[in-house]
């Protein structure tokens, strides 16, 4: 449908403090052409088809502001949840899943839970083939109906162990230490080669970028994994090419300890001192920030992304959402491929962000509206709202999610209870009636869309089984991981 109307009994535009009743939105050629009272819009455009109705809660589509497009959880390959520093050693158990199939399946699961845009932190099957992998990733998401911010990773130091790596290697018995050492290659490519890769990916995806379905961000993998020289080169490149930078930062207390031992200050303070901190960069996780760090982030215009389920599952800690909100820091929410139930349910992730926070007691409450803002306009700010604005307004791209408001009030709720409060409190993907991206109906609660997801799951499973047949050996990293545990355990 090029032109149609979405009617809603409840409407929230992503900016207002309250819902409005009985609002209709006229969609024309992928854009929001007009917004007004339901009776007026439907009467004015009486020949157009109408989606929705009085039991619909209409919202901006959500932004999954940090994810990995794995398709299948690492737990499925016996890389089970534990502290990040140990968990990372187990990722060599994962098969080489085709990126198109993984991201197509993940994309279908995302649109079924109201997500319209995803930031994809890429873990390559092969650095030699990363350009084609990024193209396949973009197409997988696009065919599922999701806009994608693609982040090809770069690292040049401290692979696998952050600090005193030689000391750690010397502690290993030869039968473990030799293969571990042989598998370490810090610098896969030079920073100049990385920029050339980014340009090649951008060229291959020029049509998708021009149409507003994807964009590329620079992606130093994380603070401890990337040198200051590389980060500053990326900043210069980003500013000269109108790009943004995204990285993992301060996910664990061991990463904070690395910064303190290296510079006698935390990453944020160090990045501010060297000139890396600014509106061109966003940081995933960001668990170990103090109030001064949050102030520096706010003053610089940098963005943060909370990954609450991942932070729980990998024993990382809790994002200080209270300080972020108090100081007015722009924040998004990301699933990180570690949703609470391995189901990519973004609505449940909103609730986890609302509840998994660092304060308890009478001052522990988090404003549910602030969390919804993180899921919409906050997430959209990760690329300065270039792909999607995270709001509903005339002239904006039509990226919307339709929620079953009647289900929110079942089995009973007083009529005056805010449906947005109920949404944060109880909604899951089962409450999503439809998702619209670029004016296209990319998900609807009917059999045809469910069948697409089921077929994608079957194809993904078949690809993994075929890979396993040709790579039948099972890795056992437990002895190595016990040494990793002992190496980090005394850090407080």
């Amino acid at each position: 449908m090029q032109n149609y109307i979405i009617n809603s009994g409840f409407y929230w535009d992503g900016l207002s403090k309250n819902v409005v009743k009985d609002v209709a939105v006229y969609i024309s050629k992928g854009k929001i052409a007009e917004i007004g009272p339901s009776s007026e819009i439907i009467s004015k455009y009486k020949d157009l088809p109408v989606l929705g109705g009085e039991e619909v809660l209409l919202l901006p589509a959500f932004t999954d502001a940090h994810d990995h497009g794995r398709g299948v959880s690492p737990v499925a390959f016996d890389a089970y949840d534990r502290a990040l520093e140990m968990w990372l050693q187990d990722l060599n158990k994962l098969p080489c899943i085709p990126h198109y199939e993984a991201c197509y399946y993940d994309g279908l699961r995302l649109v079924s839970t109201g997500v319209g845009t995803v930031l994809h932190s890429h873990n390559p099957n092969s650095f030699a083939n990363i350009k084609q992998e990024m193209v396949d990733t973009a197409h997988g998401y696009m065919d599922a109906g999701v806009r994608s911010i693609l982040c090809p990773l770069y690292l040049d130091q401290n692979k696998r162990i952050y600090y005193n790596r030689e000391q750690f290697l010397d502690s290993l018995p030869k039968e473990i230490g030799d293969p571990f050492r042989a598998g370490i290659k810090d610098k896969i490519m030079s920073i100049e080669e990385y920029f050339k890769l980014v340009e090649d990916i951008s060229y291959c995806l020029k049509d998708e970028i021009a149409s507003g379905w994807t964009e590329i961000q620079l992606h130093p993998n994380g603070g401890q994994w990337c040198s200051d020289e590389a980060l500053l080169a990326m900043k210069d490149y980003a500013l000269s090419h109108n790009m943004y930078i995204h990285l993992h930062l301060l996910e664990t207390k061991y990463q904070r300890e690395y910064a303190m031992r290296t510079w006698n200050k935390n990453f944020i303070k160090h990045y501010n001192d060297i000139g890396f901190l600014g509106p061109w960069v966003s940081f995933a996780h960001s668990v170990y920030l103090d109030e001064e760090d949050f102030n520096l982030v706010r003053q610089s215009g940098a963005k943060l992304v909370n990954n609450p389920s991942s932070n729980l599952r990998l024993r990382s800690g809790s994002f200080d959402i209270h300080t972020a909100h108090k100081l007015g820091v722009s924040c998004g929410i990301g699933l990180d491929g570690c949703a609470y139930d391995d189901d990519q349910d973004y609505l449940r992730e909103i609730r986890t962000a609302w509840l998994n926070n660092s304060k308890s007691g009478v001052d522990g409450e988090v404003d549910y509206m602030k969390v919804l803002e993180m899921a919409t306009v906050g997430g959209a700010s990760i690329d300065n709202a270039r792909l999607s604005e995270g709001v509903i307004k005339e002239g904006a791209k039509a990226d919307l999610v339709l929620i079953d408001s009647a289900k929110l009030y079942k089995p009973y709720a007083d009529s005056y209870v805010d449906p947005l409060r109920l949404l944060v409190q109880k909604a899951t993907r089962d409450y999503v009636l439809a998702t619209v991206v670029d004016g296209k109906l990319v998900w609807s609660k009917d059999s045809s869309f469910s069948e697409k997801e089921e077929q994608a799951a079957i194809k993904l499973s078949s690809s993994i089984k075929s890979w396993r047949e040709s790579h039948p050996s099972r890795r056992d990293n437990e002895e190595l991981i016990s040494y990793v545990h002992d190496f980090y355990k005394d850090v407080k």
Side-chain angles (χ1 to χ4, degrees):
M1 292 181 291
Q2 282 280 307
N3 301 291
Y4 61 100
I5 293 166
I6 299 178
N7 188 26
S8 66
F10 299 101
Y11 164 89
W12 181 62
D13 61 8
L15 296 171
S16 304
K17 298 303 180 185
N18 300 293
V19 295
V20 179
K21 291 186 176 181
D22 300 322
V23 173
V25 176
Y26 168 41
I27 310 295
S28 179
K29 299 177 181 178
K31 297 287 185 71
I32 297 169
E34 191 173 347
I35 303 168
S38 295
S39 58
E40 291 182 13
I41 296 294
I42 293 172
S43 175
K44 183 175 181 179
Y45 301 100
K46 57 179 180 289
D47 295 329
L48 292 180
V50 179
L51 298 183
E54 62 182 16
E55 293 188 340
V56 164
L57 166 61
L58 183 63
L59 308 163
F62 306 125
T63 293
D64 178 3
H66 179 83
D67 215 320
H68 290 277
R70 291 191 179 98
V72 177
S73 168
V75 175
F77 311 109
D78 203 33
Y80 62 86
D81 299 347
R82 48 187 163 187
L84 177 78
E85 286 71 20
M86 297 191 291
W87 181 79
L88 289 173
Q89 314 304 327
D90 251 353
L91 294 189
N92 60 8
K93 293 179 176 179
L94 274 59
C96 292
I97 304 173
H99 287 281
Y100 175 86
E101 292 173 19
C103 293
Y104 178 62
Y105 176 61
D106 255 7
L108 290 174
R109 292 199 294 170
L110 290 175
V111 293
S112 75
T113 192
V115 171
T117 302
V118 59
L119 183 143
H120 172 92
S121 170
H122 191 70
N123 298 121
N125 291 334
S126 166
F127 273 96
N129 197 40
I130 191 171
K131 178 173 71 173
Q132 186 58 51
E133 289 182 11
M134 298 305 296
V135 172
D136 292 344
T137 294
H139 290 167
Y141 284 127
M142 187 173 177
D143 288 350
V146 186
R147 303 184 195 273
S148 61
I149 301 168
L150 303 181
C151 299
L153 94 167
Y154 178 87
L155 71 165
D156 64 1
Q157 64 180 25
N158 298 326
K159 190 173 182 182
R160 301 191 78 172
I161 296 292
Y162 307 151
Y163 189 79
N164 281 349
R165 188 171 63 186
E166 286 303 315
Q167 176 185 326
F168 171 76
L169 291 169
D170 290 343
S171 74
L172 298 176
K174 182 177 176 59
E175 64 273 16
I176 297 176
D178 285 354
F180 187 86
R181 187 185 292 271
I184 292 173
K185 188 174 182 182
D186 284 332
K187 197 168 184 176
I188 306 296
M189 65 186 82
S190 69
I191 193 66
E192 292 78 18
E193 290 170 326
Y194 178 74
F195 294 147
K196 177 64 164 57
L197 171 67
V198 168
E199 290 165 6
D200 289 346
I201 295 168
S202 298
Y203 179 78
C204 290
L205 292 170
K206 60 183 185 300
D207 292 340
E208 292 83 350
I209 292 170
S211 64
W213 277 96
T214 194
E215 76 162 34
I216 313 297
Q217 290 197 7
L218 306 180
H219 187 40
N221 197 32
Q224 62 283 347
W225 293 308
C226 291
S227 66
D228 288 352
E229 292 78 12
L231 294 177
L232 292 175
M234 287 191 187
K235 171 199 164 184
D236 291 343
Y237 187 93
L239 292 177
S240 63
H241 290 77
N242 192 27
M243 296 180 73
Y244 293 90
I245 304 170
H246 179 76
L247 65 153
H248 304 80
L249 195 75
L250 290 166
E251 183 172 355
T252 73
K253 62 183 179 181
Y254 310 107
Q255 295 172 8
R256 177 182 60 188
E257 181 68 11
Y258 168 85
M260 297 305 295
R261 293 184 184 187
T262 303
W263 304 295
N264 198 32
K265 64 185 74 169
N266 209 349
F267 276 106
I268 296 296
K269 299 177 184 68
H270 174 66
Y271 287 166
N272 184 65
D273 289 347
I274 67 173
F276 180 67
L277 200 62
W280 47 81
V281 65
S282 61
F283 303 109
H285 296 286
S286 304
V287 174
Y288 289 90
L289 277 65
D290 60 27
E291 186 156 337
E292 183 181 353
D293 294 326
F294 277 106
N295 262 314
L296 289 172
V297 170
R298 178 187 57 81
Q299 291 164 14
S300 71
K303 315 295 191 304
L304 303 179
V305 179
N306 182 14
N307 308 104
S309 286
S310 176
N311 294 339
L312 278 169
R313 290 178 57 171
L314 302 184
R315 284 71 167 176
S316 297
S318 299
F319 179 76
D320 187 357
I321 198 170
H322 295 86
T323 300
H325 289 168
K326 178 182 74 172
L327 297 178
V329 176
S330 179
C331 302
I333 298 172
L335 288 163
D336 197 32
C338 286
Y340 197 74
D341 296 317
D342 276 334
D343 57 0
Q344 293 295 79
D345 192 327
Y346 193 84
L347 282 159
R348 186 178 280 116
E349 195 72 4
I350 292 172
R351 179 157 53 260
T352 308
W354 180 52
L355 295 173
N356 177 32
N357 50 74
S358 57
K359 281 192 177 181
S360 59
V362 295
D363 291 324
E365 184 177 355
V366 174
D367 185 345
Y368 65 95
M369 291 296 295
K370 291 287 189 182
V371 180
L372 282 175
E373 290 169 9
M374 290 171 68
T376 51
V377 66
S381 73
I382 296 302
D383 73 335
N384 199 28
R386 292 198 295 201
L387 282 191
S388 188
E389 297 180 57
V391 298
I392 306 175
K393 65 180 183 180
E394 292 180 1
K397 296 175 182 177
D399 292 2
L400 311 162
V401 56
L402 287 70
I403 302 293
D404 185 348
S405 67
K407 193 166 186 174
L408 291 174
Y409 286 87
K410 288 180 179 177
Y412 176 84
D414 286 325
S415 60
Y416 52 78
V417 176
D418 185 355
L420 297 178
R421 183 184 291 277
L422 296 173
L423 181 82
V424 172
Q425 180 72 56
K426 64 187 289 190
T428 65
R429 64 163 30 91
D430 288 340
Y431 290 64
V432 176
L433 295 172
T435 303
V436 172
V437 178
D438 206 43
K440 302 176 178 66
L441 185 66
V442 297
W443 178 264
S444 178
K445 203 166 190 177
D446 63 37
S447 59
S448 64
F449 286 100
S450 298
E451 178 68 19
K452 281 175 65 176
E453 185 175 331
E454 180 62 28
Q455 290 302 312
I458 292 170
K459 188 172 182 181
L460 181 61
S461 175
S462 177
S463 292
I464 296 171
K465 288 176 182 177
S466 295
W467 195 91
R468 280 295 190 224
E469 288 172 2
S470 59
H471 301 78
S473 60
R474 178 179 177 180
R475 295 180 185 268
D476 184 356
N477 300 316
E478 289 307 305
E479 190 172 359
L480 167 65
I481 288 173
S482 71
Y483 282 94
V484 174
H485 168 273
D486 291 347
F487 183 72
Y488 285 107
K489 70 177 181 180
D490 292 329
V491 175
K492 302 302 181 185

